[in-house]
Amino acid sequence: MKPTSSLAERLKTHFLAHQQWWAPGLLLLWGVLNVLLLASSTLMEARRFGGELDTWKAFCWEASSTFVMLLCIWPVIRLHRWLQTRLLWPQLVVVHALLTVPFSLVHVAGMVMVRKLVYGLMGEHYQFGNVLYEFLYEYRKDAMAYLLVLVAVSGYQFILRRLQGEASYVDESESSSKPLPDRLLVKKLGKEFLVAVADIRWVEASGNYANLHVKDSVYPMRITMARLEALLPSGAFVRVHRSFIVNLGHVSHIQPTDAGDYQLFLNSGEELSLSRRYRDGFKAAMAESG
């Protein structure tokens, strides 16, 4: 049991430390498995009823659909996070229901274009069929796929928050208008422990959460960036970007970019964008702290 526990702990640590690879990796794995399953099922169905179907056509149909679906998932995730911060749940449901239509239009148009390209390379012509009928046929599946994407993303974020832990006030009864205490309570997998506010290196906006970067961990806190900016100690923390707040004590240096913005470097080696909108305020705060 001990090696299994150790392996699980290493896997969890790797998962939390390399989110930029795990999320797209899992999506890619789903895409490959989806194409293999659906294409093989299409071929088996055709042969069950005595029909003839070229293998490349079955894989072209499913791969084109899955490929465009994967391209659409990232904008859907970004849009969902943006909408979460601005709409109540009833409004969010209605908006997402309406968005299934343009989602399906983009998906259908994209996969038809890919199929026509592949068929052309194979020396054949792809015919989509009756546009209205075929779109209604595809829309039923696309609306369900859109819903499943949102469910999968929400589930993924829930699991991630459970593994990361979620920060809150030490005293849950404290008013959100009060400044943050010196320490925050983190609940993680049924355990509770304290995190010093001074140990927060930087904060990143993530939907209706603010991700607190503390040492080797990232703790989400259900709070808006504007509210958190007002609550954090003004002499220690400063807004450097629409999506970032940084602890001045962890700043190493800044470097100008060709675009006229600045790149901000932390002592930990991390890099953040310092936008022109917040540049003067950041420099003023650095001068006062220095």
Side-chain angles (χ1 to χ4, degrees):
M1 293 298 294
K2 189 174 180 180
T4 303
S5 177
S6 178
L7 176 62
E9 188 64 29
R10 289 198 302 270
L11 183 62
K12 184 185 75 173
T13 301
H14 189 277
F15 173 74
L16 292 174
H18 299 88
Q19 282 300 299
Q20 72 275 24
W21 299 112
W22 273 91
L26 290 172
L27 279 176
L28 183 60
L29 177 62
W30 167 81
V32 171
L33 295 177
N34 190 61
V35 171
L36 291 175
L37 176 63
L38 295 181
S40 59
S41 297
T42 300
L43 289 169
M44 291 174 68
E45 286 295 321
R47 289 163 188 172
R48 172 187 290 181
F49 296 103
E52 289 295 330
L53 178 64
D54 293 332
T55 301
W56 71 266
K57 289 183 178 179
F59 276 91
C60 173
W61 297 345
E62 303 305 337
S64 60
S65 177
T66 300
F67 172 70
V68 177
M69 184 69 70
L70 287 172
L71 293 180
C72 292
I73 286 178
W74 179 245
V76 168
I77 294 174
R78 297 281 293 184
L79 180 60
H80 177 60
R81 290 176 177 174
W82 184 80
L83 290 173
Q84 278 182 311
T85 64
R86 290 161 173 81
L87 300 178
L88 299 176
W89 272 107
Q91 298 171 315
L92 193 61
V93 170
V94 173
V95 170
H96 276 306
L98 295 174
L99 286 174
T100 57
V101 177
F103 175 81
S104 184
L105 285 171
V106 172
H107 176 241
V108 171
M111 74 179 189
V112 169
M113 289 175 60
V114 173
R115 291 175 186 179
K116 283 185 176 292
L117 176 61
V118 174
Y119 268 62
L121 293 174
M122 297 298 293
E124 295 196 28
H125 175 69
Y126 176 75
Q127 182 62 42
F128 183 58
N130 182 280
V131 175
L132 180 59
Y133 177 84
E134 293 296 338
F135 173 74
L136 291 176
Y137 173 81
E138 295 293 339
Y139 174 74
R140 298 176 308 128
K141 298 187 295 180
D142 288 345
M144 181 59 68
Y146 187 95
L147 174 62
L148 291 177
V149 166
L150 294 181
V151 171
V153 168
S154 299
Y156 182 88
Q157 292 174 338
F158 174 77
I159 293 172
L160 187 60
R161 286 197 297 270
R162 288 282 296 169
L163 292 175
Q164 288 176 322
E166 189 167 337
S168 64
Y169 286 103
V170 174
D171 182 358
E172 297 286 357
S173 64
E174 288 195 60
S175 169
S176 61
S177 62
K178 294 182 180 180
L180 289 180
D182 292 336
R183 294 182 181 274
L184 297 173
L185 178 69
V186 171
K187 297 180 180 179
K188 184 175 182 179
L189 298 177
K191 300 179 181 179
E192 297 183 352
F193 55 98
L194 299 176
V195 169
V197 171
D199 289 338
I200 300 174
R201 296 196 308 276
W202 60 288
V203 182
E204 176 186 19
S206 179
N208 51 357
Y209 279 84
N211 288 334
L212 313 180
H213 290 254
V214 183
K215 297 181 180 179
D216 296 327
S217 301
V218 181
Y219 303 119
M221 186 175 186
R222 186 180 285 275
I223 191 171
T224 65
M225 289 290 279
R227 167 54 62 184
L228 184 58
E229 182 183 10
L231 297 179
L232 286 168
S234 58
F237 291 86
V238 63
R239 190 77 169 262
V240 297
H241 188 274
R242 181 172 56 86
S243 301
F244 305 137
I245 297 174
V246 71
N247 186 337
L248 295 176
H250 291 270
V251 175
S252 171
H253 65 281
I254 62 174
Q255 182 175 313
T257 66
D258 295 336
D261 292 328
Y262 281 82
Q263 202 69 8
L264 190 150
F265 293 84
L266 303 186
N267 295 326
S268 59
E270 295 165 299
E271 300 179 23
L272 302 176
S273 295
L274 171 59
S275 65
R276 280 171 285 187
R277 175 182 175 184
Y278 298 99
R279 183 178 57 195
D280 293 340
F282 170 79
K283 288 185 175 181
M286 285 293 289
E288 290 179 8
S289 65

